[in-house]
Amino acid sequence: MKSRKYILHYFDNLVHRLVSDSEDMVPDQQAGIAERTRREQLNFQIAIKEAVCSISREIELQRFLSRHYLEALHLQEILIARIHKDPSWYNGQSLLLDTLTDVLAGLGKYLEQRYGYLLRFPDPLPDSNLKARVAKISAEFQSVSSLLPSGLFSELLSKHFVRLAERVSSRCVFSKSSLDYMNALVRRIHEWDWDNSHKAFEAIERFFVYINFNSKAVMDLMVAKMESQLSLLEKSEDKLLYLMDRLRSFRQLHRKPRICLNPGYWSLDQFIEKWFEAEIAFQRSTTALAGHGVSNPSIKAPLAQQVSLPKQKIRCGLSGDQIAIVLRAADEVRMIESRSLNMVFKTMIPYIATDNRSTLSPSSIRVKSYHPEHRDKSFVIDKLHQMIEKIKDY
């Protein structure tokens, strides 16, 4: 169908003609082409509306709109790159270039505002467009961050936005959907009722569940909080009632459908539900054993009898805080695989000693990984660079 064809021909040809032509256009030429460019902007919008009306299958419509959206941004990127590379070229025909840049930006904005709900694709956004969007999101987060309650959960969220800017600087790949998620998150921070108390979950925990903020650090912190509360109860029956009550409350929390921070990882719902299921099954088994007169050594035995500590440990030249940084990073880049970050520390820390301490607490080291000091990060990075140089010589 005609409406399904590529409808950016005029803009595509004009951009490539301008960037490849060595001679500047005279002012009259620029004015004439600028005027036509404005008309073609309206023609583009009309062609898009016709396509929306004529394409019946949603998947085809998504592909059509997404392709034109990305192409408009890429053409804008080509133009901006040439302007930055050759300022004199821009000065010679700024009237036309300003109009064309503005129109291309307008095409993308029109598609976002009118048909944003249909723009679904994993393709990365152009660099200049990405930086502008992340800068806007970061600024908006700063304006609402004061609404967040104090505590570890809020600190993790703030650090996520810091890393967002760092990832842009390091040219990591972002898609429109990931930035749409961050926009929705910032908007919800402003709208959320932070004073609404809940007997089982804090306001920010309910916020993370609603927005499906499936960060491993947040998941581990939620689990650690419940494990800490669980450890205060002595009887298996009380622990089981606690878990069942929390699970009921968790299932009753609101969720926003079809949204998540990290599409490639478990949803926050799945992870917490699995944790509840495993803990409830264990406590039920413990209660059943106790009913048959079988003692549970994990509850009644002294700590020294509960855990078989290794007789020999590896002495590490890093401090506990620095070890925390290394293990967390190794987990997040998938150098090591485990059910959770909490399990990484529980499994590995008992086998490690430092120059100052022969016994380290897995939970204490894990918590320190969320608040690394700058000097500790610098020291770890320096050691990693030394390892890289050694590996090069092998």
Side-chain angles (χ1 to χ4, degrees):
M1 295 176 66
K2 182 179 179 181
S3 58
R4 301 191 193 188
K5 293 181 179 179
Y6 183 57
I7 56 177
L8 283 168
H9 283 298
Y10 172 80
F11 302 102
D12 202 324
N13 292 334
L14 180 58
V15 168
H16 287 91
R17 173 188 166 192
L18 286 170
V19 298
S20 61
D21 199 341
S22 58
E23 294 185 7
D24 296 342
M25 296 183 182
V26 299
D28 287 345
Q29 285 180 300
Q30 292 184 48
I33 296 176
E35 183 180 350
R36 182 183 172 185
T37 300
R38 292 292 186 189
R39 292 198 303 270
E40 290 294 338
Q41 182 180 12
L42 295 176
N43 291 336
F44 173 85
Q45 294 178 7
I46 292 170
I48 288 292
K49 291 176 183 177
E50 290 177 351
V52 171
C53 293
S54 63
I55 300 176
S56 57
R57 293 185 61 195
E58 184 171 305
I59 187 65
E60 291 183 12
L61 184 58
Q62 287 178 346
R63 289 170 181 166
F64 177 84
L65 294 175
S66 299
R67 180 163 64 99
H68 282 81
Y69 173 81
L70 269 183
E71 284 301 321
L73 296 186
H74 281 298
L75 291 173
Q76 185 183 359
E77 184 80 0
I78 292 171
L79 211 56
I80 291 173
R82 176 62 195 275
I83 290 172
H84 288 167
K85 181 180 179 180
D86 189 357
S88 62
W89 174 76
Y90 166 76
N91 293 334
Q93 43 195 354
S94 58
L95 171 64
L96 174 55
L97 294 176
D98 285 343
T99 299
L100 183 53
T101 304
D102 182 56
V103 166
L104 290 172
L107 300 183
K109 190 173 182 179
Y110 170 77
L111 288 171
E112 282 189 6
Q113 292 179 342
R114 190 70 181 268
Y115 306 107
Y117 66 99
L118 288 169
L119 299 178
R120 298 284 186 270
F121 47 81
D123 308 61
L125 294 172
D127 187 55
S128 62
N129 185 275
L130 174 62
K131 287 181 178 179
R133 285 166 180 259
V134 170
K136 184 174 182 293
I137 293 172
S138 297
E140 290 174 348
F141 174 75
Q142 289 301 319
S143 69
V144 299
S145 59
S146 60
L147 299 174
L148 297 172
S150 59
L152 291 177
F153 286 107
S154 295
E155 291 178 19
L156 286 176
L157 185 56
S158 297
K159 287 181 179 180
H160 179 81
F161 278 89
V162 171
R163 291 195 297 272
L164 180 68
E166 291 174 349
R167 289 175 64 200
V168 170
S169 300
S170 61
R171 293 181 176 274
C172 290
V173 174
F174 283 84
S175 68
K176 179 182 177 296
S177 59
S178 63
L179 294 186
D180 284 345
Y181 176 87
M182 300 310 297
N183 271 320
L185 187 149
V186 171
R187 185 173 64 254
R188 290 296 176 182
I189 289 175
H190 184 267
E191 299 171 353
W192 199 252
D193 184 1
W194 297 104
D195 296 323
N196 186 8
S197 60
H198 191 282
K199 66 175 184 177
F201 297 97
E202 301 174 30
I204 194 162
E205 290 177 288
R206 292 186 288 107
F207 175 77
F208 283 141
V209 172
Y210 176 78
I211 204 78
N212 195 6
F213 193 86
N214 58 334
S215 155
K216 294 175 72 176
V218 165
M219 293 174 179
D220 288 335
L221 193 55
M222 289 182 69
V223 167
K225 176 187 171 184
M226 290 187 288
E227 286 178 339
S228 176
Q229 294 171 343
L230 201 61
S231 67
L232 299 176
L233 304 173
E234 295 183 1
K235 296 181 179 180
S236 294
E237 294 89 341
D238 293 338
K239 293 184 177 184
L240 183 58
L241 286 173
Y242 167 88
L243 289 165
M244 293 175 67
D245 179 65
R246 288 297 186 275
L247 176 57
R248 178 188 61 182
S249 298
F250 181 75
R251 286 174 172 169
Q252 290 173 348
L253 298 178
H254 292 288
R255 275 88 167 159
K256 184 175 178 62
R258 297 181 298 280
I259 187 171
C260 68
L261 170 69
N262 183 2
Y265 195 60
W266 283 22
S267 72
L268 189 147
D269 257 1
Q270 288 176 310
F271 183 86
I272 300 299
E273 285 261 0
K274 290 290 185 183
W275 181 84
F276 272 120
E277 290 172 5
E279 291 295 325
I280 288 174
F282 174 75
Q283 295 302 333
R284 280 177 173 161
S285 298
T286 301
T287 303
L289 288 172
H292 288 84
V294 181
S295 62
N296 187 342
S298 67
I299 294 177
K300 297 182 179 180
L303 181 61
Q305 297 175 16
Q306 290 181 32
V307 182
S308 178
L309 296 175
K311 294 180 179 180
Q312 293 186 342
K313 298 187 178 186
I314 297 173
R315 186 164 295 278
C316 182
L318 303 178
S319 69
D321 291 16
Q322 293 158 2
I323 292 171
I325 295 171
V326 173
L327 290 182
R328 178 184 171 189
D331 177 68
E332 291 185 351
V333 302
R334 303 294 178 87
M335 183 183 295
I336 52 180
E337 291 284 345
S338 180
R339 181 174 63 85
S340 67
L341 182 60
N342 189 38
M343 182 61 69
V344 171
F345 285 95
K346 281 186 176 181
T347 304
M348 301 183 72
I349 289 300
Y351 292 88
I352 302 174
T354 67
D355 293 336
N356 298 321
R357 299 186 63 180
S358 59
T359 302
L360 301 172
S361 166
S363 60
S364 176
I365 297 298
R366 177 181 53 76
V367 170
K368 289 177 180 178
S369 73
Y370 300 133
H371 309 281
E373 298 287 341
H374 178 72
R375 65 176 182 275
D376 289 324
K377 290 194 291 185
S378 298
F379 186 83
V380 169
I381 290 171
D382 181 59
K383 287 296 182 184
L384 291 174
H385 281 306
Q386 292 178 32
M387 291 174 63
I388 291 170
E389 293 304 317
K390 281 290 183 184
I391 292 171
K392 288 180 179 178
D393 292 337
Y394 289 165

